[in-house]
């Protein structure tokens, strides 16, 4: 039976970085991935360009990880977003910064990031087995017995990086949670996070319109970010972030021009009173949105009576959007819940109950906003888990 020091299960960002770290620290390492290729979910992030990390401060990172980000203090003291940036730059994959600190490869292609990670794994001499599904892991006499679809292997250390349960077609189907339960570790309830919102709204007229830096609010929650109208409702970072605070049955307010006060907007429209309403609105808003707002109103600004003018300003500054629900877990971007952090040593990411069993990435009960924060958490926890030497290793 082939023996490894470390077997990493799951070839997403957490697993690839855990493999690199493990091999870098001199361990004979195997990465097992059930898909044909590594990083299938990672490839789809950032619209296929791979939003690999975020260049913010530690405070920004913690704010971007609302689901148990504080657990990562120790991890970030060992390997953080700046180490990620240095890693890619040092290994020939230049990155660039976009809005909100989001970082992408300069090529705008996910494949550059995945190739860089894969090349590093090869360079460090670790083994990759793709199209191989791990079906069980058992521990006997200080050794893990890892059974895959085609063979049985042993190791001193196992790093579980099987991801959450969203987009199961990418391979994240919850195996790591079952494995944790098998070892009698608690798993917190799994829910959808960063979920597109279903709304009772005029979807057809607005579908496909994307807005930069608008403000979505509900109750005390106020989120200014980009937003996308879709055929079912709202997506884009503002909607995904708002999904943590709504379930369905709430009414959101959308401020289409948060940088302008209602009084200034009224003043602007009065100044443009000779213009057609559509043209006056088009100077401030995307064309289709301007058409939508101007429909059923008089053609010229000056023809609007005072109530129509005030109602229009109200609609632009506080458009009511009734939420009817959220996308299911499978269609959400991130899984909330996972391996209970009470079970895990925050310095080493090792199970407190099962020596040599480590967890990293989205399989843990950590969830973050899109914008590179989940991937940062996955890469940093992967590095830390991979860098550990189990006590039984000699
Ligand atoms: C559409 C979309 C867009 C996103 N955009 C962003 C974004 O912009 N910014 C951001 O930070 N996050 C984003 N995310 C979230 C981010 O992609 C994930 O948080 C991240 O990929 C998690 O990494 P991971 O390595 O923990 O798990 P995954 O990337 O899910 O990888 C887990 C891997 O384990 C493999 N595996 C599972 N079970 C087994 C088994 N039994 N045997 C062998 N292999 C197995 C799977 O095939 C998979 O490849 C997005 C997610 C989606 C779906």
């Amino acid at each position: 039976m082939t023996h490894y020091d470390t077997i990493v299960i799951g070839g997403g960002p957490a697993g690839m970085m855990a493999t690199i770290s493990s091999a870098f620290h001199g361990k004979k390492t195997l990465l097992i991935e059930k898909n044909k290729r590594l990083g299938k979910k990672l490839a789809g992030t950032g619209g296929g360009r791979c939003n690999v990390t975020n260049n913010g401060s530690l405070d920004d990172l913690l704010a971007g990880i609302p689901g148990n980000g504080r657990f990562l203090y120790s991890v970030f003291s060992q390997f953080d977003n700046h180490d990620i940036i240095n890693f890619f730059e040092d290994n020939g994959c230049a990155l660039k910064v976009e809005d909100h600190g989001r970082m992408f490869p300069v090529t705008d292609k996910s494949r550059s990031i995945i190739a860089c990670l894969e090349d590093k794994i090869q360079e460090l001499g670790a083994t990759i087995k793709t199209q191989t599904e791990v079906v069980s892991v058992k521990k006997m006499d200080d050794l893990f017995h890892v059974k895959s679809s085609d063979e049985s292997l042993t190791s001193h250390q196992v790093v579980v990086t099987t991801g959450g349960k969203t987009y199961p077609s990418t391979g994240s189907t919850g195996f790591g949670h079952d494995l944790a339960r098998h070892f009698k570790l608690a798993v917190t309830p799994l829910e959808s996070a960063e979920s597109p919102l279903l709304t009772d709204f005029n979807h057809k007229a607005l579908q496909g319109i994307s807005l930069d830096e608008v403000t979505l609010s509900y109750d005390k929650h106020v989120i200014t970010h980009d937003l996308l109208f879709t055929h079912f409702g709202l997506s884009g970072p503002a909607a995904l972030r708002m999904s943590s605070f709504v379930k369905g049955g709430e009414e959101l307010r959308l401020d289409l021009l948060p940088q302008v006060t209602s009084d200034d907007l009224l003043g602007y429209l009065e100044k443009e009173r000779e213009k057609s309403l559509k043209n006056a609105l088009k100077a401030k808003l995307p064309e289709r949105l301007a058409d939508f707002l101007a429909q059923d109103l008089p053609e010229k600004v000056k023809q609007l009576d005072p109530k129509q003018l005030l109602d229009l300003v109200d609609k632009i500054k506080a458009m009511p959007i009734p939420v009817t629900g959220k996308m299911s877990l499978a269609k959400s971007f991130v899984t909330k819940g996972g391996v209970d952090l009470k079970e895990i040593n925050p310095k080493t990411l090792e199970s407190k109950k099962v020596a040599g069993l480590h967890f990293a990435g989205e399989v843990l009960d950590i969830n973050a906003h899109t914008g590179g924060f989940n991937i940062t958490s996955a890469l940093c926890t992967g590095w830390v888990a991979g860098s550990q030497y189990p006590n039984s290793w000699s």
Side-chain angles (χ1 to χ4, degrees):
M1 204 181 295
T2 314
H3 177 79
Y4 290 88
D5 299 322
T6 301
I7 294 178
V8 180
I9 308 172
M16 287 189 273
M17 195 52 110
T19 307
I20 290 168
S21 170
S22 176
F24 175 82
H25 286 87
K27 292 180 279 171
K28 183 182 172 193
T29 308
L30 169 67
L31 170 61
I32 304 179
E33 165 57 52
K34 67 178 168 183
N35 290 329
K36 212 166 166 183
R37 295 206 174 149
L38 302 178
K40 190 166 176 191
K41 184 175 280 181
L42 184 64
T45 66
R49 299 188 302 133
C50 194
N51 180 191
V52 66
T53 190
N54 190 289
N55 78 346
S57 63
L58 178 61
D59 284 346
D60 295 332
L61 285 194
L62 296 176
I65 311 177
N68 294 322
R70 282 168 186 281
F71 178 82
L72 296 174
Y73 268 116
S74 174
V75 165
F76 288 149
S77 72
Q78 299 174 64
F79 195 90
D80 67 8
N81 51 336
H82 299 290
D83 294 306
I84 295 174
I85 295 166
N86 290 338
F87 171 88
F88 285 104
E89 300 280 348
D90 292 348
N91 286 288
C93 181
L95 304 181
K96 60 176 173 171
V97 192
E98 293 193 0
D99 58 299
H100 299 272
R102 296 182 308 148
M103 299 209 65
F104 296 87
V106 292
T107 57
D108 279 330
K109 291 195 170 78
S110 300
R111 124 164 69 85
S112 308
I113 294 292
I114 295 164
C116 179
L117 291 163
E118 202 167 341
D119 289 352
K120 193 70 190 175
I121 294 174
Q122 312 274 15
E123 182 193 313
L124 291 166
T127 308
I128 300 171
K129 273 183 198 276
T130 52
Q131 287 181 286
T132 305
E133 180 167 7
V134 172
V135 291
S136 74
V137 179
K138 295 196 170 116
K139 194 172 182 197
M140 287 177 269
D141 307 325
D142 273 350
L143 271 190
F144 290 99
H145 293 251
V146 178
K147 206 168 161 211
S148 77
S149 25
D150 55 7
E151 63 185 326
S152 289
L153 306 155
T154 56
S155 67
H156 281 296
Q157 182 189 21
V158 164
V159 184
V160 182
T161 51
T162 47
K165 268 195 109 166
T166 67
Y167 281 67
S169 59
T170 63
S172 331
T173 48
F175 175 75
H177 306 122
D178 295 338
L179 195 62
R181 289 187 197 102
H182 165 80
F183 281 105
K184 309 263 185 288
L185 310 187
V187 176
T188 59
L190 306 182
E191 292 170 37
S192 54
E194 303 294 305
S195 178
L197 300 177
L198 310 175
T199 64
D200 182 8
F201 197 63
N202 197 333
H203 305 127
K204 283 231 167 71
L206 300 180
Q207 178 180 344
I209 296 177
S210 84
L211 303 167
D212 296 339
E213 296 294 306
V214 292
T215 297
L216 208 50
S217 50
Y218 167 66
D219 200 13
K220 58 182 188 302
H221 309 290
V222 180
I223 296 162
T224 300
H225 216 308
D226 304 345
L227 186 73
L228 176 69
F229 288 102
T230 68
H231 61 287
F232 53 76
L234 300 177
S235 191
L240 299 181
R241 287 177 188 209
M242 184 55 83
S243 70
S244 303
F245 311 115
V246 295
K247 285 187 159 52
E250 302 83 359
E251 190 165 270
L252 307 182
R253 297 280 150 174
L254 172 60
D255 184 347
L256 295 164
L257 291 173
Q259 64 285 20
V260 178
T261 65
S262 296
D263 283 351
D264 288 348
L265 184 58
L266 206 53
Y268 164 77
L269 288 169
E270 274 159 4
K271 192 166 76 65
E272 302 291 335
R273 57 193 322 280
E274 295 302 326
K275 278 196 179 161
S276 82
L277 180 58
K278 279 186 187 170
N279 283 342
L281 293 176
K282 274 176 203 166
K284 300 270 178 202
L285 295 162
E287 188 165 345
R288 278 179 50 218
L289 191 54
D291 289 346
F292 172 76
L293 291 164
Q295 71 186 353
D296 306 328
L297 286 174
E299 198 197 328
K300 296 240 177 204
V301 179
K302 67 180 176 194
Q303 294 168 324
L304 270 72
D305 64 34
K307 182 170 181 317
Q308 284 174 319
L309 212 49
L310 282 176
D311 285 352
L312 176 64
V313 168
D314 245 19
K315 209 167 176 186
I316 293 172
K317 292 296 294 171
M319 184 183 283
I321 302 193
V323 177
T324 54
K326 297 196 266 188
M327 281 289 187
S328 63
L329 178 57
K331 288 184 181 158
S332 295
F333 285 40
V334 180
T335 304
K336 182 175 175 188
V339 176
D340 195 327
L341 301 177
K342 287 197 207 95
E343 304 279 5
I344 305 293
N345 178 334
K347 287 198 182 79
T348 59
L349 302 178
E350 185 175 23
S351 155
K352 291 177 185 168
K353 286 184 190 144
V354 186
L357 182 64
H358 293 74
F359 291 86
E362 210 183 306
V363 69
L364 289 165
D365 180 10
I366 294 172
N367 59 282
H369 292 317
T370 55
F373 297 105
N374 293 286
I375 298 165
T376 300
S377 165
L379 291 168
C380 295
T381 53
W383 177 271
V384 169
S387 69
Q388 306 303 316
Y389 294 94
N391 292 335
S392 53
W393 189 65
S394 53

